[in-house]
Every structure is written in C-alpha cells, then in structure tokens.
Amino acid sequence: MLLRKVLFSLGINPDFVYITNAVKCNPPENRLRGVPEGALELLAEELEVLKPKAIFAIGKTAERALTELGFDAVYFHHPAWYVRRGVREPDREILEEYLVILDSVKSFKAGYTYNPRGRLSHQ
C-alpha cells in the first residue's frame, strides 16, 4: 500500500506501471541465497519480453535477483523498510528516494531513455 501511495504522491498512477516480484516463490527466510536453481528464470523471461525502459529494484532481494540475472536496476529501500521505521504515509524521505521514478517517466515522455546511472539518451 505504501508503494502505491508513494507513486500516487509523485503523480504516477501505479495501475499504469508494471510491478512484479523478483522471486515468484518465497525463498527460505526470504533470502536470495536460498532460492532454488531456476527460480529466477520466470523473472528473466518477463523482462526479456517486456523490454522495460527502466528497472527499479524495490528492496535488496530484488536488487540481488536482478544483478544475478545481469540486469541494471536502480535500488530503492523496500516500503516495508520504511514501515518498520513507523512510516505509514509518504514522507519527505521516501518521496525524495523514489523521485527518480518520476524523473524517468518524464524522460520517456520527452523521447529519452533513462538508464540506472542517471544519464539520459535520446531515442
């Protein structure tokens, strides 16, 4: 819920953003090191089919999975990280962190491609 609220606060309708889980099953203790072989293949197939202009890793598990698969991604703290710290509604800190999503959406509309290193290139 917090992720959706953050996106709405940034002016992004989450219904028009593709959001998926990195791992389609819960690894033991929710740690990537325990993911069975082949468990990330579905994610790799999704990304190859979708060919996203930008990939954002929401949490360390997502970041590790994407790195393992060879995809570049911008890392953000998972909303649960904020919730554990008492954040229930978008605040300045989370909005500033997630602002790069809005910047990338704006760049797409302007005909630019956003890459994880923060550089823009014209299409």
Side-chain angles (χ1 to χ4, degrees), residues 11-80:
I12 300 169
N13 185 336
D15 294 334
F16 295 103
V17 177
Y18 187 76
I19 300 172
T20 188
N21 286 325
V23 181
K24 306 306 178 186
C25 61
N26 286 335
E29 299 176 28
N30 201 28
R31 300 287 182 217
L32 190 58
R33 71 178 183 280
V35 176
E37 187 173 328
L40 299 178
E41 289 176 5
L42 182 56
L43 175 63
E45 289 175 21
E46 276 182 67
L47 295 174
E48 291 298 330
V49 168
L50 294 170
K51 296 180 183 9
K53 293 180 181 180
I55 301 173
F56 303 101
I58 312 278
K60 292 214 179 272
T61 299
E63 180 186 41
R64 287 186 197 122
L66 290 162
T67 299
E68 185 175 313
L69 291 171
F71 290 96
D72 286 329
V74 176
Y75 168 78
F76 298 116
H77 287 100
H78 194 283

Side-chain angles (χ1 to χ4, degrees), residues 65-94:
L66 290 162
T67 299
E68 185 175 313
L69 291 171
F71 290 96
D72 286 329
V74 176
Y75 168 78
F76 298 116
H77 287 100
H78 194 283
W81 184 86
Y82 285 99
V83 170
R84 285 191 298 272
R85 284 152 184 77
V87 176
R88 299 287 187 266
E89 297 295 325
D91 67 3
R92 187 178 61 79
E93 183 181 4
I94 193 170

Side-chain angles (χ1 to χ4, degrees), residues 97-122:
E97 180 179 6
Y98 280 64
L99 189 60
V100 71
I101 296 173
L102 179 61
D103 293 342
S104 67
V105 169
K106 286 179 179 179
S107 71
F108 302 150
K109 290 180 179 179
Y112 290 85
T113 300
Y114 181 85
N115 74 38
R117 292 178 181 50
R119 294 185 291 264
L120 297 176
S121 57
H122 197 271

